[in-house]
Amino acid sequence: MKKWFYAMIILLLLGWGIHTFQQSEELDEVLPPEESELRLPELSHNTLTINRSEIHKGDLLLINTQYPVPNHAEIQDVVNLFEQNHLVDGFGISDNSVELPLDMLKRFTAMIESARAEGVNHFLINSGYRDLEKQAELYEQLGSKQANPPGYSEHNLGLSMDIGSSLGLMKDAPEGKWLENNAWKHGFILRYPEDKTNITGVMYEPWHFRYVGLPHSAIMQEHDFVLEEYLEYLREQGTVYAEVEGKEYKVSYYPIQAERSIKVPIEGSYTVSGNNTDGVIVTTWGGDPVSVGMEDR
Ligand SMILES: [Zn+2]
């Protein structure tokens, strides 16, 4: 029974092969040589059309006192963790107002699972997504030294979390140390390190982690960059390559003045993120590492 089945498949495939072969031979006979070449286009890339609105979307948006959270930023599936407490698994929450987009919760949960495997398991979430109203309240309570005005906090973008430890202050707790050394493997960065306050303009916050995704967090860790420095580096370099856990990535920056087209390889994957200032970053992986990415800068 099985043998027959495979024999049928082989016959079918052979028949199809012969058929298409004959077809292409026929075409060659009919068409002059140049035209038959035109019939075999090199389908190595797709063309993306990028317009200025893309500058303000994505995981790499720079948010600081100069560049606010874009109007109408799409923040999806925000859940209140106190109300949806079945989602609180392996960590604690500081109060009933903690909210997170679901994909951020998944990223955080995966990250602390790795920490737990290394015996670090006293994580808390003190704050996640904050809407503008909540940010305004906080700003009023804490003042401009400890909080940003509404629209100028990464928390309003939904990609940042204030993570704590039930064992003590993050700067001393094992949870803080573990995150400082390992968060990058999960796409997170310590957004406001102690030695970069002159660049970030924000005091040392050992609890504030921002999601940027791989390979960006790995490149930033390797070069000891904060987001401001990383985006500037990409602007200067144009294209950088990174290998993370066996995956080869190509990261390219494109200034966007008007609508433009950018080529990405047809094989493999890509992401596009704006930088919230003047361009987009296209990240490609999984295709042919040599031809990955594009001309048309
Ligand atoms: Zn924060």
Side-chain angles (χ1 to χ4, degrees):
M1 181 68 186
K2 263 193 180 169
K3 269 186 195 165
W4 272 108
F5 179 71
Y6 287 122
M8 281 295 284
I9 292 211
I10 286 164
L11 280 173
L12 276 170
L13 285 172
L14 272 174
W16 179 77
I18 290 162
H19 183 68
T20 48
F21 178 68
Q22 278 174 348
Q23 252 189 354
S24 65
E25 263 202 340
E26 277 160 25
L27 279 176
D28 277 346
E29 277 165 26
V30 179
L31 297 165
E34 309 91 275
E35 263 197 82
S36 72
E37 273 166 34
L38 281 179
R39 285 188 159 260
L40 299 166
E42 228 187 274
L43 281 176
S44 61
H45 63 261
N46 283 324
T47 301
L48 308 176
T49 305
I50 305 285
N51 59 46
R52 285 189 58 82
S53 68
E54 302 290 333
I55 295 175
H56 306 289
K57 292 176 193 165
D59 292 340
L60 290 171
L61 298 189
L62 178 67
I63 307 295
N64 56 29
T65 49
Q66 228 183 325
Y67 300 102
V69 174
N71 288 334
H72 316 296
E74 291 163 24
I75 300 147
Q76 282 164 359
D77 303 324
V78 174
V79 288
N80 177 303
L81 293 180
F82 182 75
E83 287 163 15
Q84 309 272 327
N85 67 3
H86 61 282
L87 298 173
V88 178
D89 182 19
F91 60 92
I93 51 173
S94 62
D95 61 52
N96 61 9
S97 72
V98 176
E99 293 187 326
L100 264 189
L102 270 179
D103 52 359
M104 283 292 287
L105 178 68
K106 276 186 208 145
R107 290 160 182 162
F108 174 74
T109 306
M111 177 162 70
I112 64 164
E113 232 164 72
S114 295
R116 194 184 308 140
E118 294 173 32
V120 180
N121 56 1
H122 290 83
F123 289 96
L124 294 172
I125 302 179
N126 290 320
S127 188
Y129 169 67
R130 297 200 287 257
D131 61 21
L132 298 183
E133 206 177 310
K134 211 193 277 178
Q135 187 69 31
E137 269 171 39
L138 204 70
Y139 186 63
E140 220 161 88
Q141 268 171 30
L142 299 176
S144 64
K145 276 209 176 121
Q146 285 180 66
N148 286 331
Y152 290 83
S153 163
E154 279 193 345
H155 287 279
N156 307 146
L157 188 64
L159 293 176
S160 288
M161 311 176 61
D162 292 341
I163 304 172
S165 165
S166 55
L167 298 179
L169 295 176
M170 279 298 265
K171 71 178 175 59
D172 307 315
E175 285 67 30
K177 294 276 172 248
W178 189 91
L179 285 176
E180 199 174 335
N181 295 325
N182 297 286
W184 66 271
K185 295 172 193 165
H186 302 270
F188 285 86
I189 55 164
L190 178 68
R191 180 68 180 89
Y192 307 117
E194 198 165 16
D195 57 347
K196 302 280 176 142
T197 55
N198 60 330
I199 300 167
T200 62
V202 176
M203 65 171 193
Y204 175 41
E205 291 194 356
W207 55 83
H208 182 112
F209 287 83
R210 156 77 188 261
Y211 183 79
V212 289
L214 283 167
H216 311 290
S217 53
I219 303 172
M220 291 170 73
Q221 177 80 9
E222 192 188 339
H223 292 268
D224 190 27
F225 285 151
V226 287
L227 189 55
E228 282 84 355
E229 293 172 299
Y230 179 54
L231 294 174
E232 186 54 37
Y233 171 72
L234 294 180
R235 205 176 278 121
E236 281 164 16
Q237 301 290 318
T239 290
V240 301
Y241 298 85
E243 196 185 323
V244 185
E245 287 173 352
K247 267 194 210 172
E248 290 185 61
Y249 295 88
K250 181 175 183 175
V251 182
S252 298
Y253 161 76
Y254 297 85
I256 305 292
Q257 273 105 33
E259 189 174 282
R260 69 181 292 176
S261 52
I262 293 175
K263 289 171 182 171
V264 292
I266 211 158
E267 282 178 25
S269 311
Y270 69 89
T271 57
V272 179
S273 172
N275 60 9
N276 207 27
T277 62
D278 60 3
V280 298
I281 290 102
V282 179
T283 307
T284 53
W285 68 95
D288 172 1
V290 183
S291 69
V292 157
M294 358 334 129
E295 51 280 19
D296 186 32
R297 284 195 49 80

